[in-house]
Amino acid sequence: MNAPLEVVILGGGTAGWMAAAALSSLLPPTRCRVRLVESDEIGIVGVGEATLPHIKDFNNSIGVDEAEMMRATNATFKLGIDFVDWGYKGSRYVHPFGAHGGANAGLGFHQLWRRAVDSGRDWDIQEFSFAVMAARANRFDFPAAGHRTINSTFSYAYHFDASLYAQFMRRLCEARGLERIEGKVRDVEQDPQTGDIRALLMESGERVAGDFFIDCSGFRSLLLGSKLDAEWEDWSQWLPCDRAIPVPTERVGDLTPYTRVTAMNAGWRWRIPLQHRTGNGYVFSTRFIDEDEAVEELLQSLDEPTLAEPRLLRFQAGRRKTSWKRNCVALGLSSGFLEPLESTSIYLIQIAIMHLLPLFPTCVHDPRLEAEFNRRMDIEYERIRDFLILHYHLNSRDAAEIWRYCRSMEVPQSLHRKMELFRHSGIIESYKDGLFTPPSWLSVLVGQGLTPEHYHPLAEAQPLERMLADLDELRLEIQERVDEMPKHASFIARYANAQAASEAILHEAEERL
Ligand SMILES: Cc1cc2nc3c(=O)[nH]c(=O)nc-3n(C[C@H](O)[C@H](O)[C@H](O)COP(=O)(O)OP(=O)(O)OC[C@H]3O[C@@H](n4cnc5c(N)ncnc54)[C@H](O)[C@@H]3O)c2cc1C
């Protein structure tokens, strides 16, 4: 048998430690030996607090205990994203992790809803989503098993402290014997003939040699970008935001089980509730506002007192055209960046790892594996790109220039086709690969203000009165089941924060009196 492949991960942010945890847990040590290089002095970007439900599969696959992870990262639950003022000022909708309609509604529920609207009902489609109604009520419980009951129609994710999550992954890896090398990389040694990376040259003089390198060096993209010169694809004509100002605030008031994103004069701001603080930040475009004005606009809009000075992060929307080049794969920020509007970056790290594992090289360089990995990542990036553009493009806000620009910009053909199909008769394309299933597209299309011109004839399978009565019953059932759920704060206190448990339970008991 060949000697195990020597794998070197550069970077110890979320990307680096997730990759280290997955490779060291899921690949046999006879296949590869993994080492991780990072610099405490450089540190990590440390933002990235909102996740998608897929992260549960990742954590499960590497043996993470959910409650332990949540306690260690001050995590809360997330049922979706609350979009405020996006379609137009004063509008509001939740993009939930779940379907609209009852347990057996299938993908065509919105056709029934559209027929109900045609018949004169002014029902908001959101009232038919269990996850939306639970989120609005600040309630949380685990989804019921199976697919038969209304409270089985949703999923959930987490909000967590990203730095603490990276540390959690690090502890897990080190407990399993993974070697971490502290220090700054000064240069990179390449094979003069092939261009393959041979070793990282440390400031300390150490030489860290490897067969295969995973670039998790963040925005610097030290290996894939700087050394291997992988071409950058700029998507800022569709996603013009190029700065973010994160600022944490005190945690005051209800612990909401959702991320809130509010449209602003030159972008949008996030609000992410953690157990110990609230994460906030303004993502904006310097084409439409200058940095000082943006800081001012953000500080004026915050709900709670700040805990630290705002800091400024620069970026450009886009990605490296290839995430795998020669004997190097880039994960996380070093492979590309799409703004955190739909919390997709950690998902992109996870899915890249999941695509990498089955394609993991057995020898140093195999162009077939490289091509297949890149093909899969193209699909992932492009699906997310289109979904993000949809939020900007489909708006009827008039007060600020960025929204007028986005409304009139030409969007990718792939997105144009999706919007037109939906506009005509509510058809939503479903695809096998890539993020965002039809329920997600439905939430955002309708939430941003697009209602299908016609409903599908299949929606007429039942007599109208019967269908309306069923829908009404469903709304009531959702409301009743939501009312039975515990408050999110007391659920967290019981499940993931033993210390606070008694306080929250007492508080809820008082509230119920
Ligand atoms: C404003 C903002 C908000 C975000 N919000 C979300 C969100 O809500 N949800 C989400 O999923 N994602 C979000 N993201 C993305 C998320 O933060 C990143 O995907 C995630 O943190 C991964 O970062 P990383 O590990 O790629 O890079 P980093 O965290 O920057 O880590 C880079 C690592 O490389 C090391 N390194 C760099 N250079 C050297 C060197 N010369 N020598 C040695 N080591 C080196 C550093 O020490 C560090 O360990 C957000 C990003 C931004 C900018």
Side-chain angles (χ1 to χ4, degrees), residues 99-100 106-111 113 125 387 390 414-415 417-432 435-447 450-452 454 456:
H100 289 81
L107 294 181
F109 172 78
H110 63 287
Q111 301 284 3
W113 165 75
I125 193 169
F387 194 60
L390 176 69
S414 45
L415 174 59
R417 197 187 63 244
K418 283 193 190 86
M419 288 190 322
E420 289 312 306
L421 263 178
F422 186 77
R423 192 191 309 278
H424 180 261
S425 49
I427 294 169
I428 305 175
E429 181 195 5
S430 59
Y431 39 74
K432 190 169 81 50
L435 191 57
F436 299 120
T437 53
S440 289
W441 282 91
L442 175 68
S443 307
V444 177
L445 284 160
V446 174
L450 190 63
T451 305
H454 316 280
H456 195 281

Side-chain angles (χ1 to χ4, degrees), residues 10-17 37-52 162 183-186 202 216-220 222 243-246 270 272 283 313 315 331-334 337-340 342-347 349:
L10 170 57
T14 314
W17 284 113
V37 175
E38 71 169 319
S39 157
D40 279 342
E41 197 186 316
I42 294 177
I44 69 172
V45 68
V47 277
E49 296 166 331
T51 63
L52 295 180
K184 263 197 208 171
V185 172
R186 172 181 57 79
M202 309 295 292
C216 300
S217 61
F219 284 127
R220 290 175 178 80
L222 279 188
R243 298 283 189 281
I245 315 171
W270 76 81
I272 299 179
V283 174
L313 296 168
F315 61 83
L331 305 178
L333 301 174
S334 59
F337 184 65
L338 293 171
E339 60 188 73
E342 285 281 356
S343 323
T344 45
S345 288
I346 295 174
Y347 164 82
I349 297 170

Side-chain angles (χ1 to χ4, degrees), residues 196-216:
D196 280 3
I197 296 173
R198 287 280 160 257
L200 306 182
L201 306 176
M202 309 295 292
E203 276 188 352
S204 63
E206 193 180 348
R207 178 176 178 277
V208 183
D211 300 313
F212 193 72
F213 290 80
I214 303 190
D215 184 355
C216 300

Side-chain angles (χ1 to χ4, degrees), residues 28-41:
T30 46
R31 282 284 303 277
C32 72
R33 180 171 80 116
V34 185
R35 289 179 297 162
L36 184 143
V37 175
E38 71 169 319
S39 157
D40 279 342
E41 197 186 316

